[in-house]
Amino acid sequence: MNIVSLKAEAREGAGSRVADRIRSAGRIPANLFGAGQSSENLTVNAKDVERALKERRVEYMLELGDRREQVALRDVDRIVAHAIACEATLA
């Protein structure tokens, strides 16, 4: 199975206005969560995610600063507004 690397950045805030600003900057709002850890709000590059989704890859390596975690896309909400379009929930 192929593993795709996605570079992520921590983000502050939540809500539709924050998400719109993130999308207009070419990034996608994402949430990282898992058993025994608190949820983290992140952003990932929209083009990288779109490219990975087209290739139908199922496992991803999330790079957040010095930290690397293998993640799976749990939910992707596609939004027609703007040229880009999804909000990812990573588990």
Side-chain angles (χ1 to χ4, degrees), residues 9-71:
E9 297 175 4
R11 70 175 158 104
E12 296 292 322
S16 60
R17 288 184 181 171
V18 172
D20 286 343
R21 281 191 291 253
I22 291 168
R23 287 188 199 97
S24 67
R27 301 194 62 80
I28 294 173
N31 299 309
L32 174 65
F33 65 92
Q37 72 181 44
S38 59
S39 176
E40 294 180 60
N41 293 328
L42 308 171
T43 66
V44 290
N45 184 288
K47 289 182 181 180
D48 292 344
V49 172
E50 285 293 323
R51 192 174 308 122
L53 289 173
K54 286 179 183 176
E55 295 179 21
R56 302 192 192 284
R57 311 273 175 127
V58 293
E59 290 194 20
Y60 304 91
M61 183 64 66
L62 188 69
E63 299 176 9
L64 180 59
D66 295 337
R67 197 171 102 206
R68 293 173 51 109
E69 289 194 42
Q70 191 167 345
V71 298

